[in-house]
Structure formats: C-alpha cells, structure tokens
C-alpha cells in the first residue's frame, strides 16, 4: 500500500507540512508510528506496518496524521485537545510534559489499567482514533476488522476533563521538580 500518497493528500487538505521518516526514533522501535512535534516528523514503522491489513495501515497512519494536525493547527480543535496534546501518559506510569519545546519526564503512581485508561481517554487520543476510523472507512469501506480495531482503542471507562486537570497538575509539578 502506498501510504505516502495518503500523507501527501492529507497534508494538502489540512494545509500542513511535515517530514516523513521510516527510521523510528529510539524507544519507538515497536510502534506502528508516531508524530514528533519537535522534529515535525511523522515516523512510520514500515517493517511492522507493511505486514498489517490495509485497514490497519490506514488507521494507524491517519491516527498519527491527526496528531500532526493537533500540534500544527491547534485552533481547529477543542480546548481540551489543545491542552492535552502537551501530555503523554504511558502504560507504566511514565509521563511526559512539553514545556517550551522540550519534553520533560516524570512518573506517577497507579496501576497498569489506570494508565491504559488515562492514555486512551486523553482528548487528543480519542479524537485521533475517531478520525482514523472515519477516514479509513471512507477510503476502504467499513468492515468487521476495522470496527474491531477501533473498538480496541475505545476506552472501557471514561474520564472527565476535571480528572485530567488533576492528573495534569501532578505531572506539571513532578516535571518541574524533575521527578
């Protein structure tokens, strides 16, 4: 599948410019892809993604492209997405906060399930998954496989923005202290 054509079309439609790389950054060797706002680069793991069905390839591509738009054209998104895009919460409690073009790292307490639900409920992640599902189904049609993939990324429980305000406050404080 020629993913590059979809990247070019998307960037033209969204009026954004990004770099593309197949060389995954350190720590992301097993990821399908990622968008690095500091490098303005979309990384696509061609070694892994090329073995997936077309609907999965497109889903992950559009998910990451949506993140590019969230960073490069934030005015198009809700205030919750605009705020949350500066935070990354991993499944092991490692968190990152973007401060003045530098990602600061910290760790917070909780269980794996709690972190997974936090991650999946981040407003920018939920938006990217909805968008990826919609765009992929527009191009390839809806399918049981696509619906199953999308449902995998839909959180089992939901968090309110107030819950995130508290978590973001903890992350901000820990990142400022360097813990």
């Amino acid at each position: 599948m020629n993913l590059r054509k979809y990247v070019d079309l998307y960037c033209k439609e969204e009026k954004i410019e990004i770099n593309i790389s197949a060389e995954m950054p350190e720590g992301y060797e097993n990821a399908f892809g990622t968008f690095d706002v500091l490098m303005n680069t979309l990384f696509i793991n061609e070694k892994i993604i090329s073995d997936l069905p077309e609907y999965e390839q497109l889903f992950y591509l559009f998910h990451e492209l949506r993140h590019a738009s969230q960073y490069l054209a934030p005015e198009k998104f809700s205030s919750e997405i605009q705020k949350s895009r500066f935070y990354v919460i991993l499944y092991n409690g490692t968190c990152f906060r973007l401060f003045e073009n530098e990602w600061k790292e910290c760790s917070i307490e909780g269980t794996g399930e709690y972190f997974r639900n936090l991650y999946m409920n981040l407003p920018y992640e939920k938006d990217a998954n909805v968008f990826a599902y919609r765009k992929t189904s527009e191009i390839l049609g809806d399918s049981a496989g696509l619906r199953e993939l999308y449902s995998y990324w839909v959180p089992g429980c939901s968090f309110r923005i107030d819950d995130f305000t508290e978590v973001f406050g903890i992350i901000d404080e820990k990142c400022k202290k360097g813990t």
Side-chain angles (χ1 to χ4, degrees):
M1 171 171 262
N2 180 4
L3 296 179
R4 180 62 195 231
K5 78 175 183 180
Y6 294 106
V7 172
D8 292 342
L9 282 169
Y10 180 86
C11 289
K12 185 177 180 179
E13 288 172 8
E14 291 296 308
K15 298 176 178 57
I16 61 173
E17 292 183 24
I18 60 174
N19 303 308
I20 301 169
S21 176
E23 287 188 38
M24 297 301 290
E26 186 178 332
Y28 288 85
E29 296 85 2
N30 295 318
F32 298 119
T34 190
F35 178 73
D36 185 323
V37 64
L38 299 180
M39 297 175 71
N40 191 35
T41 301
L42 172 68
F43 293 92
I44 297 294
N45 195 337
E46 292 176 351
K47 293 175 188 170
I48 294 177
I49 207 167
S50 63
D51 292 334
L52 299 175
E54 284 187 333
Y55 69 86
E56 282 193 62
Q57 291 180 42
L58 282 182
F59 183 91
Y60 292 123
L61 177 69
F62 282 118
H63 178 98
E64 296 305 331
L65 284 169
R66 185 65 163 198
H67 287 324
S69 291
Q70 291 166 343
Y71 282 107
L72 301 176
E75 68 282 356
K76 294 181 178 181
F77 298 92
S78 70
S79 61
E80 289 85 8
I81 291 170
Q82 289 182 36
K83 180 176 181 172
S84 67
R85 69 196 164 107
F86 296 115
Y87 297 86
V88 174
I89 300 170
L90 302 181
Y91 293 171
N92 64 0
T94 301
C95 301
F96 298 90
R97 168 65 156 99
L98 186 61
F99 283 112
E100 299 174 2
N101 290 323
E102 183 181 348
W103 286 103
K104 302 285 187 175
E105 181 179 346
C106 73
S107 179
I108 60 174
E109 299 296 318
T111 65
E113 182 179 347
Y114 173 70
F115 297 133
R116 184 174 192 277
N117 282 320
L118 274 175
Y119 168 79
M120 292 176 78
N121 275 285
L122 282 162
Y124 69 89
E125 288 296 341
K126 288 172 74 171
D127 174 72
N129 287 325
V130 168
F131 179 79
Y133 174 77
R134 185 174 53 81
K135 287 297 284 185
T136 302
S137 64
E138 285 174 10
I139 294 168
L140 297 177
D142 202 9
S143 68
L146 178 58
R147 285 190 302 276
E148 185 177 331
L149 176 63
Y150 175 63
S151 69
Y152 176 81
W153 292 108
V154 174
C157 70
S158 61
F159 284 77
R160 300 171 326 202
I161 196 62
D162 291 344
D163 298 325
F164 280 109
T165 300
E166 182 180 333
V167 171
F168 293 163
I170 293 167
I171 293 170
D172 287 349
E173 193 61 35
K174 286 184 169 249
C175 284
K176 286 177 187 171
K177 292 180 181 177
T179 59

